[in-house]
Amino acid sequence: MPARDRIYIQKILFAAACLLAGTAAPSHATQAHGGMEGIIAHQAGHLFFMISMATFAYWLRERGATEQKGWRYIFYAALFFALWNLDVILVHLLDEQLMAVEVQKAGLDLIQKQLMGGKAAGTLNYIIKSDSRFLAKIYFLAKHDHLLCVPPMIFFYLGLRRLLADSEAETSGASS
Amino acid sequence: MSISWFSVIFVDIAGSLLMIILSFMCMNVAVKLRRKDLTDVMWVYLLWFSLALTVFAVSRSAGHLIKQLLLFSGNREVWMVLRPYSGAINTIAFIVAAAVTFFSDQIWKINLQTLKDKRELQKAHGELLFLNENLEKRVAQRTEALMRAAEQKMQMEKNMAQTEKLAAIGELSAGVAHEINNPLGVILGYNQLLLREAEKGTEQHGDLKTIEKHVKHVRTIVSDLLNFSRNSRTKRGAADIHDIADEVIGFIRTHMGAGDIEVKRDYDRNLPELPLDRDKIKQVFVNLLMNARHAMGGSGTLTVATAPAEGGDHALIKVSDTGTGIKAENLTRIFDPFFTTKPTGEGTGLGLSVSYGIIRNHDGDITVESTPGEGTVFTITLPLEPRKWEEK
């Protein structure tokens, strides 16, 4: 391969790496994707996921699938996932879109600072800054989102296990 | 509002760890479910959904754990570099999970159709298997049915031949009997005149008695011939077969003497009255009972039994004896006219032929089974309901 071509290919690979790393240089030929676009895409994803889970739950009920224990567990999982999406949409809306709340560290934890060799370290004490105390409380509660996304995983697991057990029972019943 | 962030961080870390563990557990079960039945597309959907959830859980939870670790260790700037990648991957993952879910309705419908087709296929397979397994049995059944049909055909042909033979002999003997009957009457008349004049105990009287005896025998033969050939109309009316049998048994006992013969009656009194020509059936019983008596000599057991035939539309009448029986070579000929095993002068060989004709005229059948030295069984089958008699 000629040296000139090799340099050309190396340039392309470098440009691709920069693009992947999110450090691409401004381009005049393509649309830039900076600013609020990331959070809007993420929120749209959550909305899409929430609608799909709600639709899935509705549809499972309509089809009578929830009469089977396995699918009933999956129905509960879908409902919880929809709720979880609602919860995280609210969190993202408050702190990243509306900027209605802001979380700040309350101060440096001296012990941790010593442990980390004088480097500024994290602390467990935070201040939630908001014009509304109610919104601040809601935000704090909504930040415990794993309380809504772990249960659906458990329900989903139980549902799958039940469907597997039913399928095995059916197979052994058919073969006996 | 100042607040301890401990619960948020604790739930975040514990939840993230649980999410990773549970997502892998779900994947494990979904893979097993998929392997269980490769044709079930709902399991494919659940596998895809589990996969998307696992990617989402790992990317998000790992991101959260790394975030807490980096923030806790004061490396916020490192987290700020990693953050968009973690966010982008988990955004893509739950969008995939959502997209897959939107197709689940279609997948469910396809699955229902697939399962229906599968069931039908299994049913067809089962039927084919059943047919295959039973083919040999069915062939054997069909072969047996064909053999039965062939036997019936042969029997029918035999019966037709017998009927034709009887018809031809009947026609011939009717003419002969008519011509002989009148001269016989004249001979017997003159013989009786001569007997009146002849002195008893003389040689002439003895000779005339011999003539009378033989002329009477000839007259009996002629009478049988006429009975055999006479195509008289069968006059059927409802009659109790047991009454007819009893009447004939009584007649035989009174006029012929039964000796040491034991007569057994095994009647099924539930049999209804049958459409019979009473006199002709009486003649059949006389022939059969006389033959039985002759076969048993002085002692034995004569049994007359009645029963409904299998199917319930015929009656069976069995006349059996414990006599000498009939040799196998004679069994096929016993219904032939003039066939007799009795000594010359004792039988005309027409009794069973006449009986056969009478029973056939009643839409019935007569068969014989015999074991030499043990006895003979004649079985008469007669219909319970008249079928063609009104047309005759």
Side-chain angles (χ1 to χ4, degrees), chain A residues 21 42 59 112 124 128 145, chain B residues 1 5 60 72 85 91 105:
Chain A
H42 190 75
W59 169 84
Q112 280 195 357
L124 293 179
I128 302 173
D145 66 289
Chain B
M1 183 176 114
W5 212 241
R60 185 172 191 268
F72 196 69
Y85 296 100
T91 305
D105 186 30

Side-chain angles (χ1 to χ4, degrees), chain B residues 22 25 48 123 213 223 226 260:
Chain B
L22 284 167
M25 285 166 75
W48 272 95
K123 193 181 158 198
K213 181 189 163 194
S223 170
L226 282 171
D260 286 334

Side-chain angles (χ1 to χ4, degrees), chain B residues 130-143:
Chain B
F130 175 77
L131 285 174
N132 196 27
E133 280 172 357
N134 287 276
L135 192 62
E136 211 169 301
K137 197 175 158 191
R138 278 168 174 251
V139 167
Q141 280 174 347
R142 294 280 187 276
T143 310

Side-chain angles (χ1 to χ4, degrees), chain A residues 152-169:
Chain A
M153 289 301 287
I154 295 170
F155 278 126
F156 188 60
Y157 173 70
L158 291 175
L160 287 175
R161 265 185 43 162
R162 182 71 193 197
L163 289 176
L164 181 65
D166 287 351
S167 174
E168 278 169 350

Side-chain angles (χ1 to χ4, degrees), chain A residues 36-130:
Chain A
M36 292 291 282
E37 191 175 309
I39 186 61
I40 288 172
H42 190 75
Q43 288 283 70
H46 275 301
L47 192 67
F48 182 47
F49 195 19
M50 185 182 75
I51 293 168
S52 80
M53 286 295 108
T55 310
F56 186 45
Y58 168 78
W59 169 84
L60 279 175
R61 203 176 176 81
E62 278 297 296
R63 294 262 177 204
T66 48
E67 285 170 20
Q68 285 181 52
K69 208 169 182 180
W71 286 110
R72 194 156 61 240
Y73 280 134
I74 292 174
F75 167 77
Y76 297 143
L79 282 184
F80 267 103
F81 270 129
L83 275 176
W84 169 76
N85 277 289
L86 195 65
D87 178 85
V88 290
I89 285 170
L90 180 69
V91 171
H92 291 315
L93 190 72
L94 289 175
D95 64 5
E96 290 184 75
Q97 286 181 276
L98 300 176
M99 309 295 184
V101 290
E102 190 186 345
V103 182
Q104 285 184 347
K105 280 182 280 185
L108 295 178
D109 188 317
L110 291 172
I111 299 166
Q112 280 195 357
K113 192 179 176 184
Q114 278 176 354
L115 282 173
M116 300 304 292
K119 204 174 175 185
T123 175
L124 293 179
N125 289 319
Y126 279 74
I127 296 169
I128 302 173
K129 287 175 73 179
S130 175

